[in-house]
């Protein structure tokens, strides 16, 4: 089982073909577009047909893509904005997280000492 996590810094739809050559089973992508609203290349959609995505706008969010069946666990994120917990093939759990600076004191960001 190969799992890759990549903060793609946006425009993942233009970069995702690079992932195909690694033949990974699961891809966690931070700062990626919503696959329901942005067209991804056909080759990537065939390779990674299952996904869960969270985000505030269609251009930047967190996704877990997979060759295998995914089921959202709907676990409590503990206040983390970009957090995905999912069950893969009914056999194990994966967490996808995008941690970044927060301007609120209730999340770590740069406010933790």
């Amino acid at each position: 089982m190969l799992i890759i996590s990549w903060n793609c810094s946006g425009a993942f739809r233009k970069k995702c073909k690079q992932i195909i050559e690694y033949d990974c089973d699961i891809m966690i992508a931070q700062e990626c577009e919503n696959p329901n609203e942005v067209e991804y290349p056909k080759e990537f959609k065939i390779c990674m047909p299952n996904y869960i995505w969270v985000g505030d706008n269609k251009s930047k969010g967190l996704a877990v893509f997979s060759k295998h069946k995914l089921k959202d666990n709907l676990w409590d994120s503990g206040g983390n904005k970009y957090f995905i917990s999912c069950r893969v093939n009914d056999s194990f759990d994966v967490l996808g997280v995008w941690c970044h600076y927060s301007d609120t004191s209730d999340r770590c960001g740069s406010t933790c000492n």
Side-chain angles (χ1 to χ4, degrees):
M1 172 82 43
L2 179 61
I3 300 172
I4 295 176
S5 180
W6 180 24
N7 186 320
C8 65
S9 298
F12 184 63
R13 72 192 182 288
K14 296 177 182 178
K15 304 170 185 174
C16 63
K17 286 185 181 180
Q18 299 172 43
I19 298 303
I20 295 171
E21 69 185 70
Y22 292 101
D23 194 30
C24 64
D25 296 277
I26 297 170
M27 172 72 212
I28 301 168
Q30 298 86 9
E31 297 193 53
C32 70
E33 301 93 344
N34 184 341
N36 289 322
E37 297 189 40
V38 175
E39 190 63 30
Y40 278 72
K42 180 181 177 183
E43 300 89 344
F44 184 77
K45 292 192 296 187
I46 290 169
C47 180
M48 296 285 178
N50 305 298
Y51 62 87
I52 298 172
W53 185 90
V54 295
D56 290 331
N57 66 64
K58 70 178 185 175
S59 298
K60 206 170 253 192
L62 168 70
V64 175
F65 295 96
S66 179
K67 291 181 176 182
H68 310 284
K69 182 177 85 171
L70 296 175
K71 179 183 175 194
D72 196 332
N73 287 328
L74 302 174
W75 291 351
D76 181 5
S77 70
N80 293 298
K81 187 174 182 178
Y82 297 102
F83 176 93
I84 297 172
S85 61
C86 55
R87 188 93 176 142
V88 180
N89 272 350
D90 294 322
S91 61
F92 65 94
D93 298 312
V94 167
L95 292 177
V97 181
W98 173 22
C99 301
H100 58 84
Y101 174 75
S102 174
D103 59 2
T104 61
S105 61
D106 62 336
R107 293 184 184 82
C108 198
S110 66
T111 60
C112 293
N113 295 320

